[in-house]
């Protein structure tokens, strides 16, 4: 315990140790602004609005951050985690590559383009960031089970982080999930539970268990406010890796919309803390047409997001009723950005385009983001002269089927030099 | 060009720019010691022995290295690459996690264990390190085609690096390779060439093309001396991440044996440069029984390695006639280590063990290394009280089939809270 912690002691229940949530001071409702003390809560007791973390940040310098580890804990002072977070086993995600994408920029006619590549996280998606923060919260709350409902990236991340932390971990999936996707999570946990129902059924069951059982930390349910903060580290890293600067434009995939709102929040925090200079940043959201409720609302000029029934290969983006949809609309409109959507064929082409130009194999969510980037340039909604960042959230090895009909050998030859010459490859 | 470069100018053909290979001064035969000037050569003109890089290293400090980028180029002064290497598009691999593995250590009865996790490299294996160095060499030689024969990790790494570099890239694979493995490389390159034959046929064709065609850089054939040096970065990183210390013991998988010899070399270089204190490091090699020529030779006390016909699920280790086999034998014997092998079932169990204890999903090669580590402890060949490092070379997403019968849901339940309670998971 340092003196800083003591002076900004969080208001928490007595069973929680001092400094357990760093400089977080409470939970605040995003709708009515009511506050409550820190706990495994996610809904405002006054208006049932969503809660998020409130902080009293200390002075933080670039040098302090740069002296930290090459993972998300370098930003621990800005997250709801304790100062000794590095001592607890976790997946240590983050500080992934920010690659200048000259080939893709040339292909799309952009002056300057960067890809933030989260496919190289421990379980190959950005979910490792949020799960790492949820795991810290679960530990500090003394939770006895770490859990989630999920069909994909989140399930992998929770199962892996729970294994490393040595906490009982239970992952709920729809029972009709394909075998490879089951293996990707079952490899890490003894407690993969198949539920006869669709993802909505699994999600509902998870909320019920979270309400009935003591000591269960469902990362995206009752510890969601802590979990969601992990996405801020994407924004912090982009700014630091650009040399403590903000980009002019950024394109972010939209599922629940949480990632986009948190990246926006991270940029505002860096400005408020004096870590980067303030400047306008246009924020763009990317969806697949088969699940594009936020894009539809943006296009139609609506203030509400109408739920859709998802039907797209971009399954990790297929949330028909996105919790943060209206916040995404607000941010994209306020910053001069946009939300757009593309077809599943364009998603597939986006995957191939990124791989062929930059050597990065992205999943369908990343294909969506690249495809939307291309569309935004073509429609003139994104300024090709401004410095642009695009986020790749996950790995193509997990969604191989999406492209397996699209790419393959250019030729099949006999194992002789003559056959090689005849094929005209040289 | 700095003055240092000029004074230690490499002996190269006139078409190669000064400093193109950093502090490398020539090629030296590992058998007879004959030297020749730098070029796309891999065989001694005197005795047909294998060539490796010779250097005249400058003084290098820990601080210089620590100030470098979070990838292998932080060690550029110790690699055959130019000082401006970071300016050329590459995959920027390396500086992967070194995780303390307390759960696995407890499971195996080890005092202190670390996992060097190369599954988080850009294309999810250590091959990104060697390919990055090969790409630099291909560029400096003015090669017009970047190529390899491969069935797996190497194909992925070459195709991805070539795409990002914007150089024509051709990858040769056996035509009977499974579709997912074809997709993993075809996603990055238009020029995936299927060859009707087994891997030996493909390899032979590659050597023939390398001999016949000008300007083809086959990473593991004619630029192999440059390529192989990339594995040294595994050793450099382990030492730096341990706080500029060498471990007491290290377990490394053996395919050609190159990685093990280069990690050994890297430790010796760090000692010679005064970057770490000298100390004994026992080096252990890991093979799968179905392809264990080096382990057999070690056990039998032979000075030669008898070729074997591979038959194991650990396909990325299945080299029946390993080029560096005798060097591996020498190193493991001299350092007090050993080479051991395990069955395919033990390989599978090794994969599950690492995932369940540390949240790391490894491929069959990593399962082999973990399984051999376990065996070495059980046979008393590895001292459980000494600080041990084990290398995880690749990702389990690429060898899903190996474990898909081994793991799965613990229960299938109806989507109700009652069904959840009845299943006894809480």
């Amino acid at each position: 315990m340092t003196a800083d912690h003591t002076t900004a002691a969080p208001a928490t229940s007595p069973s929680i140790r001092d400094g357990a949530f760093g400089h977080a001071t409470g939970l605040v409702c995003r709708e009515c602004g009511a506050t409550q003390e820190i706990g495994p809560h996610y809904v405002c007791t006054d208006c049932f609005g969503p809660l998020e973390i409130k902080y009293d940040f200390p002075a933080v310098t670039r040098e302090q951050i740069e002296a930290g580890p090459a993972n998300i804990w370098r930003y621990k002072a800005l997250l709801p985690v304790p100062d000794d977070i590095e001592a607890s086993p976790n997946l240590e995600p983050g500080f992934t590559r920010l690659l200048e994408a000259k080939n893709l920029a040339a292909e799309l006619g952009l002056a300057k383009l960067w890809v933030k590549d989260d496919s190289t996280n421990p379980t190959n998606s950005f979910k490792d960031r949020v799960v790492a923060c949820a795991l810290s919260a679960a530990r500090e709350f003394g939770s006895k089970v770490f859990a989630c409902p999920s069909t994909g990236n989140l399930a992998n991340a929770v199962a892996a982080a729970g294994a490393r932390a040595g906490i009982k971990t239970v992952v709920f999936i729809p029972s009709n999930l394909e075998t490879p996707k089951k293996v990707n999570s079952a490899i890490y946990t003894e407690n993969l539970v198949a539920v006869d129902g669709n993802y909505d059924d699994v999600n509902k069951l998870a909320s019920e268990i979270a309400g009935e059982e003591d000591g269960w930390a469902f990362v995206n349910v009752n510890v969601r406010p802590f979990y969601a903060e992990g996405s801020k580290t994407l924004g912090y890293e982009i700014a630091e890796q650009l040399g403590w600067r903000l980009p002019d434009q950024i394109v972010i995939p939209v599922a629940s919309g949480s990632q986009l709102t948190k990246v926006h929040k991270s940029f505002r925090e860096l400005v408020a803390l004096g870590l980067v200079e303030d400047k306008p940043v246009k924020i763009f959201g990317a969806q697949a047409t088969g699940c594009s409720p936020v894009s539809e609302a943006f296009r139609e000029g609506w203030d509400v997001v109408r739920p859709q029934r998802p039907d797209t290969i971009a399954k990790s983006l297929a949330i028909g009723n996105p919790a943060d949809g209206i916040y995404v609309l607000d941010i994209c409109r306020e910053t001069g950005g946009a939300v757009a959507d593309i077809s599943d064929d364009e998603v597939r082409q986006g995957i191939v385009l990124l791989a062929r130009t930059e050597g990065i194999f992205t999943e369908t969510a990343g294909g969506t983001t690249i495809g939307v980037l291309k569309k935004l340039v073509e429609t003139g909604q994104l300024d090709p002269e401004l410095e642009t960042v695009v986020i790749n959230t996950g790995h193509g090895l997990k969604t191989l089927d999406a492209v397996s009909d699209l790419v393959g050998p250019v030729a099949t030859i006999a194992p002789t030099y003559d056959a090689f010459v005849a094929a005209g490859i040289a």
Side-chain angles (χ1 to χ4, degrees), chain A:
Chain A
M1 279 301 298
T2 66
D4 293 58
H5 279 93
T6 317
T7 52
T12 53
S13 63
S15 64
I16 294 172
R17 68 175 175 138
D18 283 353
F21 296 93
H23 304 285
T25 57
L27 296 166
V28 57
C29 177
R30 288 161 80 185
E31 286 301 318
C32 74
T35 57
Q36 52 181 286
E37 68 176 27
I38 284 178
H41 316 304
Y42 60 111
V43 177
C44 175
T45 46
D46 285 4
C47 79
F48 302 104
L51 298 175
E52 72 174 346
I53 311 288
K54 216 181 130 184
Y55 298 92
D56 183 7
F57 287 133
V60 178
T61 67
R62 293 176 180 177
E63 290 69 27
Q64 283 168 347
I65 291 169
E66 288 166 356
N71 58 53
I72 62 169
W73 303 138
R74 66 201 281 116
Y75 309 106
K76 64 185 176 183
L78 309 179
L79 297 170
V81 300
D83 196 49
D84 61 0
I85 181 69
E86 293 126 295
S88 313
N90 210 313
L91 288 184
E92 303 179 15
F95 219 58
T96 55
R97 303 179 299 169
L98 180 74
L99 289 174
E100 187 174 355
K102 288 187 181 172
N103 298 335
L104 181 57
E107 187 77 25
L108 300 180
L110 291 169
K112 190 109 179 158
L113 176 66
W114 303 85
V115 177
K116 178 63 176 170
D117 181 20
D118 252 19
S119 69
T120 55
N121 263 321
T123 72
N124 311 98
S125 88
F126 88 97
K127 290 288 185 186
D128 289 321
R129 299 177 182 272
V130 285
V131 167
C133 292
L135 177 60
S136 177
R139 265 207 195 94
E140 300 298 339
F141 289 132
S143 307
K144 58 178 204 241
V145 187
F146 193 55
C148 74
S150 167
T151 59
N153 285 328
L154 181 59
N156 306 163
V158 165
R164 184 155 161 78
I167 183 173
K168 178 172 177 176
T169 301
V170 183
V171 172
F172 296 86
I173 56 164
S175 58
N176 65 354
L177 203 63
E178 305 91 318
T179 298
K181 293 201 170 177
K182 285 181 183 167
V183 173
N184 290 351
S185 293
I187 193 70
Y188 303 110
T189 179
E190 287 175 9
N191 296 302
L192 182 71
V193 178
V195 178
D196 284 330
N198 59 26
Y199 179 64
D200 284 342
D201 297 323
V202 182
N203 222 350
K204 216 177 125 228
L205 176 61
S207 297
E208 221 176 323
I209 298 168
E212 296 285 343
E213 298 282 331
D214 271 348
W216 280 60
F218 277 93
V219 300
N220 52 348
V221 184
N222 55 339
V223 292
R224 187 174 181 87
F226 306 87
Y227 163 90
E229 288 290 287
S231 284
K232 291 193 309 184
T233 59
L234 270 167
Y236 299 149
E237 290 179 18
I238 289 166
E240 180 179 350
Q241 290 171 321
L242 285 175
W244 296 107
R245 285 189 306 113
L246 299 181
D248 298 319
Q249 302 178 131
I250 184 164
V251 186
I252 305 171
V254 174
S256 74
S258 173
Q259 180 176 115
L260 187 145
T261 66
K262 293 296 180 179
V263 170
H264 176 251
K265 186 181 178 194
S266 75
F267 289 165
R268 302 319 308 156
E269 286 175 350
L270 292 180
V271 169
L273 288 161
L275 290 166
V276 299
E277 257 184 54
D278 198 5
K279 64 179 272 193
V281 182
K282 296 183 187 182
I283 298 187
F284 297 85
Q287 298 203 298
T289 306
C291 184
S292 52
V294 189
S295 177
E296 181 188 35
F298 183 88
R299 191 174 53 241
E300 301 294 338
W302 299 337
D303 287 332
V304 293
V305 173
R306 285 197 202 166
Q308 293 183 355
R309 184 179 301 271
D311 178 19
T312 168
I313 58 166
K315 292 200 192 304
S316 63
L317 299 182
I319 298 183
N321 189 13
D324 283 13
I326 51 165
Y327 304 115
V328 168
L329 279 181
D330 285 350
I331 290 168
C332 293
R333 283 173 178 152
E334 274 170 23
T335 63
V339 189
D341 59 84
I342 55 167
S343 71
D344 282 3
D345 270 351
E346 290 168 306
V347 170
R348 291 189 190 94
Q349 288 157 17
I351 295 173
V352 177
L353 179 62
L354 182 62
R356 293 275 165 96
T357 52
E358 300 299 340
I360 299 170
F361 187 13
T362 183
E363 62 171 353
T364 47
T368 304
T369 314
I370 298 297
V372 164
L373 168 66
K374 182 167 183 279
K375 182 174 180 173
L376 290 166
V377 177
E378 288 165 359
T379 58
Q381 290 169 282
L382 188 131
D383 185 339
E385 295 305 317
L386 295 181
E387 184 172 35
T388 306
V389 172
V390 63
I391 296 181
N392 173 33
T393 47
H395 205 299
L397 284 172
K398 296 189 191 179
T399 58
L400 270 186
D401 287 349
V403 291
S404 55
D405 292 338
L406 222 59
V407 298
V410 64
T412 300
I413 64 172
T416 66
Y417 180 66
D418 288 348
F420 163 75
V421 173
I425 300 150

